[in-house]
Amino acid sequence: MVAQENGAQANAGEAPRVVCYTRTKVATKLGNALHLGYSEDGRHYVALNNDACVMALRKVDNEPGLTEEQKIPGVMKTLTAPYLFRMKEGGFGVVALRTDQNGISDVSATGSFLFIKSRDLVHYEPEQLCRLPVSEMLEAVSCEYDEAVGKYRVRWMIKGKVFQSHTADFLRFSPVKAVPKLDGVQEKITGNQRNFLNACFGNSLALTVEEGKYLKNKLGRIVNVGVLPLEMSVPVSPSVISDIRKKRATLLYSDGSRAEKRVIWNEEDLKSLTSATSGTYAVRGKIFQYSFNYPVSMSNCADPNILYYQGKYYMVSTYEVEWNRIPIRCSDTLDGLTDANHRWKEAVLIQGEGPHWAPELHVIGSRLYMLLAIIKGDKGVQAYMMQLKENGDPMKPEDWSTPIRVVKSDGSPIYTDGKTEGLSLDMTYIEDGGKSYVCWSDRKKCFVNGKDVDPGPVLRIATVDPKEPWKLTSTPSVIGSEAYSWSFCIRPLQLAEGPFVLESKDDNIYMVYSGGGVTGGNYEVGMLTARKGSNLLDPASWSNSPRPWMNNGSPVSQVGPGHNSFVRDEYGDLYNVYHSGHRPRHTSVCPVHFRFDGSPVIDMAPYEEVNPNLQQVEMRVRLISPSK
């Protein structure tokens, strides 16, 4: 937590408040975006979304003045000088100034400001560029609803002078007049390494208790705050110990959510019950957590994937030491796969001349497949599959088929040549509503007047038949094409790679993807959502979050986390498997938690999952006579 220094605001009482800001000394695409901080009492603030943005601007690909070469990939835009206000009809508004990819005033937005609507400061409508009746660059902007006029009062600064106009629709503006100052007060808050690092603050806004609670619970860190009392009644029988071993603890979290966690019960206490008669007994236990040697679990393993299959855990990854081979690791336990525990055996599943990337293991139909990307000759990186023979051993290379090229419905490859047609990689498999799909990172070649124009990688999805999953049965569709500035790589080009679907408890499909780079601190994780049972081939079925869901430092001490997959262990608990770091990259694992509304938390730290002070538990066991 950090203390607010602005004296006037510090006396505002105990009402919750939200403050907006941007950040410097980070990549422009990350810092020049809307950030929010939250305060329970109007004095002490904490950064939301791990000090990462809550909304970044979309790429621009349809504005006047863009060339055809610019329209294909789109142009990255950023923002600065945000200002929060309330909409008359309810909800919130944000005004800001648009900047270019370098954080410099955007010449194409001369005389303009950005207007963004949000119902709750978590979800945002597409931004609108509002043209004022002026022809100079704005230096700052504010907006408030003017009850006396019945319109919104927009004020802006040009060359140190402040002007004002009114608008009802942010399209038409009244005549401009000079005024003494902008609305609002720029906040001053002390930052640290975890909160408001190199922040440039805008104004703050009072919230209702319910608004503040929702904002904090959706964008704040979620931590374990309690454990429900443990008790159970079981009949005296030979199975009493096995019945107790199955008992889980219900953990309570700061957002009101709950999670059932395994408990390792004290063996001495259990043994004492083998000869016990009816009565009440205390059994001690410890809430279970895997030993993943956080934050680095498996070294030199990028693009990791773990599958629990036929009683064992199998892990495949891009091998950072030698890219031309795919190792496979096997263990009886999930944490046995880690370097430190070393309860695993390993084999080289495939080795070739060119790089082999991003393998994933999936059971499709009744067979085990490995989806992977391979560079063969001058064809560029393309998607392949390998099939395990019936009753085969996943650890034996000879039990796998040779790589099968993924093809379209007519039998031709997705792309024949990477130099002239395109690239396909990072393929994953999805099932929903009785249908099977594959989704992958796609980089289709585009040419304008004979010039090669790189559109950047996007995600494509198509249906497949589980009997022949390497053959597409529909025309591929692009999803999540509205790239946000945080997802752009250095060139700058939009980047979407490593898609993978998380099994959720609610009615949504959550698909993670990674962007912002390939390694290092700019690599972050985004989220696409769709309703279960919807037409997943329809781009309109998917919603792309304008904020990263996992970012640099959100898993503590980790740089550039991403390229996720998820594994459900033998007990039904879900874990996020991802890599972090620069070259080399390493694999880490963390638990997946579900917030109060069913949305996933994919960057929970061990001490947030289970409060160390609450890990030791005691259960009241009532043994009942079988005759009762």
Side-chain angles (χ1 to χ4, degrees):
M1 301 290 284
V2 292
Q4 178 158 332
E5 296 177 344
N6 186 293
Q9 191 56 60
N11 295 323
E14 298 297 314
R17 296 188 74 86
V18 60
V19 65
C20 60
Y21 65 103
T22 57
R23 290 177 59 196
T24 62
K25 299 182 181 180
V26 294
T28 302
K29 63 182 182 177
L30 305 180
N32 278 43
L34 179 65
H35 295 64
L36 295 178
Y38 175 73
S39 172
E40 293 274 6
D41 58 10
R43 296 189 298 272
H44 304 89
Y45 281 83
V46 63
L48 295 175
N49 202 34
N50 310 302
D51 216 8
C53 72
V54 301
M55 193 223 67
L57 293 189
R58 302 164 188 254
K59 70 177 183 181
V60 171
D61 58 9
N62 59 358
E63 285 188 1
L66 293 180
T67 67
E68 289 302 313
E69 293 181 18
Q70 290 175 316
K71 290 179 180 179
I72 290 174
V75 178
M76 186 182 91
K77 300 293 183 180
T78 59
L79 66 79
T80 190
Y83 185 95
L84 301 173
F85 64 100
R86 286 190 176 274
M87 301 296 296
K88 179 181 183 299
E89 65 272 21
F92 302 88
V94 182
V95 291
L97 303 182
R98 196 169 82 176
T99 46
D100 66 13
Q101 65 190 44
N102 299 310
I104 300 171
S105 296
D106 184 5
V107 176
S108 66
T110 299
S112 303
F113 66 92
L114 292 166
F115 167 54
I116 307 153
K117 290 180 67 175
S118 172
R119 66 177 185 266
D120 50 22
L121 296 178
V122 175
H123 305 88
Y124 294 85
E125 296 182 15
E127 59 270 16
Q128 176 183 336
L129 189 62
C130 304
R131 304 280 180 181
L132 289 166
V134 298
S135 58
E136 296 180 272
M137 299 297 299
L138 277 59
E139 298 166 1
V141 63
S142 66
C143 184
E144 297 288 348
Y145 185 73
D146 192 333
E147 293 283 356
V149 180
K151 295 181 179 181
Y152 292 96
R153 180 178 64 242
V154 180
R155 291 180 174 178
W156 64 92
M157 181 181 291
I158 296 177
K159 297 179 180 178
K161 297 181 179 180
V162 179
F163 303 90
Q164 173 182 293
S165 180
H166 283 86
T167 181
D169 55 9
F170 292 89
L171 296 173
R172 293 172 291 274
F173 294 87
S174 66
V176 176
K177 69 175 185 179
V179 292
K181 63 178 183 177
L182 295 167
D183 283 312
V185 176
Q186 184 177 6
E187 298 291 358
K188 297 179 181 179
I189 300 173
T190 303
N192 57 33
Q193 290 297 315
R194 294 288 294 169
N195 290 281
F196 312 118
L197 183 62
N198 302 312
C200 298
F201 290 99
N203 68 318
S204 68
L205 194 66
L207 301 174
T208 66
V209 172
E210 286 302 312
E211 289 171 339
K213 179 181 178 182
Y214 181 79
L215 184 63
K216 178 186 69 172
N217 290 342
K218 282 293 289 182
L219 298 180
R221 301 300 297 181
I222 305 302
V223 298
N224 173 217
V225 295
V227 181
L228 285 182
L230 282 157
E231 55 185 13
M232 67 181 298
S233 297
V234 291
V236 176
S237 72
S239 66
V240 63
I241 293 179
S242 62
D243 291 339
I244 293 174
R245 288 191 195 279
K246 298 174 186 176
K247 179 68 174 179
R248 289 190 168 217
T250 301
L251 275 62
L252 309 178
Y253 291 85
S254 55
D255 67 331
S257 59
R258 298 184 176 192
E260 303 292 320
K261 298 293 181 181
R262 283 196 290 144
V263 179
I264 305 301
W265 298 106
N266 184 279
E267 289 297 327
E268 291 184 4
D269 291 353
L270 292 177
K271 186 177 180 180
S272 68
L273 297 179
T274 56
S275 58
T277 58
S278 58
T280 301
Y281 301 86
V283 179
R284 294 165 294 171
K286 182 179 181 181
I287 297 172
F288 174 81
Q289 285 184 292
Y290 282 111
S291 173
F292 288 127
N293 196 33
Y294 190 87
V296 176
S297 300
M298 297 75 132
S299 59
N300 297 312
C301 297
D303 314 328
N305 175 252
I306 298 175
L307 177 70
Y308 181 64
Y309 177 72
Q310 295 185 350
K312 293 185 181 295
Y313 294 89
Y314 295 91
M315 174 183 167
V316 290
S317 66
T318 299
Y319 186 43
E320 289 285 78
V321 179
E322 296 180 66
W323 281 15
N324 68 333
R325 64 176 182 165
I326 299 293
I328 183 169
R329 188 177 289 190
C330 176
S331 177
D332 292 330
T333 63
L334 181 56
D335 58 351
L337 292 168
T338 65
D339 293 347
N341 292 329
H342 206 291
R343 298 191 301 272
W344 46 266
K345 57 182 179 179
E346 190 172 79
V348 176
L349 198 57
I350 182 174
Q351 186 165 350
E353 294 181 1
H356 291 55
W357 291 340
E360 290 185 10
L361 296 171
H362 292 274
V363 176
I364 304 176
S366 60
R367 304 290 291 275
L368 181 62
Y369 288 84
M370 183 169 72
L371 287 59
L372 73 162
I374 303 175
I375 295 180
K376 288 190 175 183
D378 60 355
K379 303 302 181 184
V381 59
Q382 304 295 350
Y384 289 81
M385 292 189 187
M386 294 170 62
Q387 183 189 65
L388 183 69
K389 71 179 185 182
E390 288 192 52
N391 302 315
D393 182 350
M395 297 298 291
K396 293 182 178 180
E398 63 269 23
D399 285 358
W400 289 87
S401 71
T402 57
I404 307 167
R405 185 77 171 269
V406 178
V407 298
K408 296 181 289 189
S409 57
D410 62 4
S412 64
I414 297 176
Y415 297 117
T416 302
D417 190 300
K419 292 182 179 180
T420 59
E421 295 183 15
L423 308 173
S424 59
L425 65 155
D426 294 358
M427 185 168 281
T428 192
Y429 176 74
I430 307 164
E431 291 181 352
D432 178 62
K435 295 181 179 180
S436 297
Y437 305 83
V438 288
C439 181
W440 67 96
S441 181
D442 186 282
R443 201 165 188 168
K444 184 178 181 179
K445 288 287 185 178
C446 294
F447 297 88
V448 176
N449 298 323
K451 182 180 179 181
D452 184 358
V453 179
D454 191 346
V458 298
L459 299 181
R460 291 188 189 270
I461 188 171
T463 55
V464 294
D465 184 342
K467 296 178 181 178
E468 294 182 314
W470 58 86
K471 183 181 292 186
L472 309 184
T473 57
S474 69
T475 301
S477 302
V478 176
I479 58 175
S481 61
E482 62 284 279
Y484 297 96
S485 68
W486 69 261
S487 69
F488 274 65
C489 57
I490 195 169
R491 292 182 58 176
L493 284 173
Q494 68 179 59
L495 175 63
E497 65 174 28
F500 201 95
V501 164
L502 177 155
E503 295 180 27
S504 67
K505 297 181 178 180
D506 60 15
D507 294 329
N508 293 317
I509 295 171
Y510 294 93
M511 181 190 286
V512 294
Y513 69 94
S514 298
V518 179
T519 65
N522 294 339
Y523 200 50
E524 299 188 324
V525 176
M527 186 73 75
L528 286 162
T529 56
R531 300 292 289 180
K532 292 178 180 176
S534 62
N535 179 9
L536 300 187
L537 299 181
D538 183 358
S541 296
W542 295 91
S543 175
N544 193 1
S545 175
R547 62 181 168 91
W549 284 50
M550 195 175 189
N551 61 281
N552 192 41
S554 66
V556 179
S557 302
Q558 296 188 341
V559 175
H563 205 117
N564 314 57
S565 65
F566 299 91
V567 59
R568 196 172 290 280
D569 72 4
E570 60 198 285
Y571 303 98
D573 298 319
L574 191 62
Y575 292 85
N576 179 14
V577 185
Y578 61 96
H579 75 233
S580 63
H582 200 45
R583 307 285 190 194
R585 297 165 292 178
H586 308 291
T587 289
S588 293
V589 184
C590 68
V592 174
H593 181 75
F594 292 92
R595 294 181 190 266
F596 69 98
D597 62 350
S599 60
V601 178
I602 60 174
D603 61 353
M604 182 168 271
Y607 57 84
E608 294 174 325
E609 178 197 20
V610 181
N611 184 328
N613 296 323
L614 300 174
Q615 195 161 20
Q616 301 293 333
V617 295
E618 185 173 283
M619 180 167 63
R620 183 172 175 267
V621 178
R622 182 169 176 251
L623 296 184
I624 306 170
S625 172
S627 61
K628 292 185 179 180

